[in-house]
Amino acid sequence: MEQRGGRRRLHRTAVLAAAVVLLFFASVLLGSYTVTIADFFTIVINHLTGGVKIPGASFIVMENKLPRAVIGTLIGIAFGLAGGLFQTMLRNPLASPDVIGISSGASAAAVVAIVVFGASGAAVSGAALAGALAVAALIYAISRGARRTGRGTAAGNRLVLAGVGTAAALQAVVSFLMTRADIRTAADALVWLNGSLNSANWDRAGILFLALAALVPATGLIAGPLRILELGDDAAAGLGVRVNTARLALVVVAVSLAAVATAAAGPVSFVAFLAGPIARRFTGKASLPASAMVGALIVLAADYFAANLAPLFLGGTVLPVGVVTGALGAPFLLWLLVTANRKDA
């Protein structure tokens, strides 16, 4: 029975991966500027070999649509894995980087860099990365006392509560800075705070790819202890797992995934929160690969809607991708709370 369930999850994860590939090419080939499959491969091959460029089309594909789709896919994978790690490790569907303050730490640091120091580009991304890591360390330190009790559920709840409180404080900092900034600076900060792929380029894609090339294998290495930790801290310790060490490694990897994704495109709301539960319902069990694929699907679909469909209804206005994912995440959170209350009753 378990073997049959494993095959079903593998098959459904493969379906999700195929959907990511299809949506990736749809994002590049379709939209406000369409490109044929033949022209796409001609453009890419000529770009790599120094061949003749197609006027207009080569620039749009290689400097806009393709890096945008690549970064969208990569940040979706990173957020999906981060959310799956947190939710599985803490056995709490609310334990995602959005909720526990990781994204708020990145946002606050980025806004400080933009408003106070006038930073832009890579400097803002670096500040966001540092802010996310610093807040994660603070939250982990606050929740450390509960871990000493040896009860994983108590420790997980304390981490979530510490993150929610920290996020509220950091949001106040962001709001204060936005009121003190001039209109142009505030507009720049607001675009970043919503999460956007409009500034996607190959430099960011390359850095993000290298980061995931290290973090994704690390996620695979710690997946074994993660499954054992689902049984509870006492059971995991009885099976020979060093609970505190394993949990610290999981937190470091999960925070790093969320931090590099946020640094690349801003705090794209609710992707990490949505990916895990949707993947679990589709495959029948918590699955990190499925969470990664669902995360990529959410970002690619939301960005396609924001860049190509929303302008048709909003008089040409292109929405940041985070606005669309936030609109999806809010009702999903309410639905999750309602269904949880019904189960408790």
Side-chain angles (χ1 to χ4, degrees), residues 177-199:
L177 290 173
M178 293 291 283
T179 61
R180 305 297 297 176
D182 62 78
I183 294 178
R184 180 172 297 180
T185 303
D188 292 340
L190 187 61
V191 171
W192 195 93
L193 285 172
N194 284 322
S196 175
L197 297 178
N198 292 339
S199 59

Side-chain angles (χ1 to χ4, degrees), residues 56-160:
S58 294
F59 178 83
I60 291 173
V61 171
M62 297 305 303
E63 303 301 327
N64 185 312
K65 302 189 95 178
L66 192 55
R68 188 185 187 108
V70 168
I71 290 183
T73 303
L74 293 177
I75 67 168
I77 290 172
F79 278 128
L81 285 175
L85 284 171
F86 275 120
Q87 291 163 351
T88 305
M89 175 183 64
L90 301 177
R91 290 176 286 170
N92 189 328
L94 297 179
S96 73
D98 310 276
V99 177
I100 65 174
I102 308 301
S103 297
S104 297
S107 299
V111 172
V112 169
I114 294 171
V115 174
V116 178
F117 299 103
S120 61
V124 176
S125 298
L129 181 62
L133 295 175
V135 169
L138 175 63
I139 295 170
Y140 184 83
I142 293 173
S143 62
R144 188 184 179 94
R147 289 195 178 95
R148 289 173 181 166
T149 66
R151 292 178 293 179
T153 301
N157 290 339
R158 176 135 181 187
L159 191 147
V160 172

Side-chain angles (χ1 to χ4, degrees), residues 132-271:
L133 295 175
V135 169
L138 175 63
I139 295 170
Y140 184 83
I142 293 173
S143 62
R144 188 184 179 94
R147 289 195 178 95
R148 289 173 181 166
T149 66
R151 292 178 293 179
T153 301
N157 290 339
R158 176 135 181 187
L159 191 147
V160 172
L161 291 174
V164 170
T166 303
L170 291 171
Q171 185 57 46
V173 172
V174 171
S175 298
F176 171 76
L177 290 173
M178 293 291 283
T179 61
R180 305 297 297 176
D182 62 78
I183 294 178
R184 180 172 297 180
T185 303
D188 292 340
L190 187 61
V191 171
W192 195 93
L193 285 172
N194 284 322
S196 175
L197 297 178
N198 292 339
S199 59
N201 56 54
W202 288 115
D203 290 337
R204 290 190 181 187
I207 294 172
L208 185 57
F209 177 81
L210 291 176
L212 292 188
L215 291 172
V216 171
T219 304
L221 291 175
I222 63 176
L226 176 64
R227 294 189 181 93
I228 300 175
L229 284 174
E230 289 185 75
L231 302 174
D233 286 5
D234 293 336
L239 293 172
V241 175
R242 296 181 178 179
V243 175
N244 290 334
T245 301
R247 184 176 282 116
L248 178 60
L250 288 164
V251 169
V252 170
V253 173
V255 168
S256 299
L257 285 165
V260 296
T262 303
V268 183
S269 304
F270 286 120
V271 176

Side-chain angles (χ1 to χ4, degrees), residues 3-28:
Q3 186 177 8
R4 182 181 302 175
R7 289 178 179 175
R8 183 180 66 178
R9 285 192 296 274
L10 183 61
H11 173 73
R12 293 190 175 184
T13 302
V15 171
L16 290 173
V20 170
V21 173
L22 290 175
L23 192 53
F24 177 91
F25 282 104
S27 300
V28 177

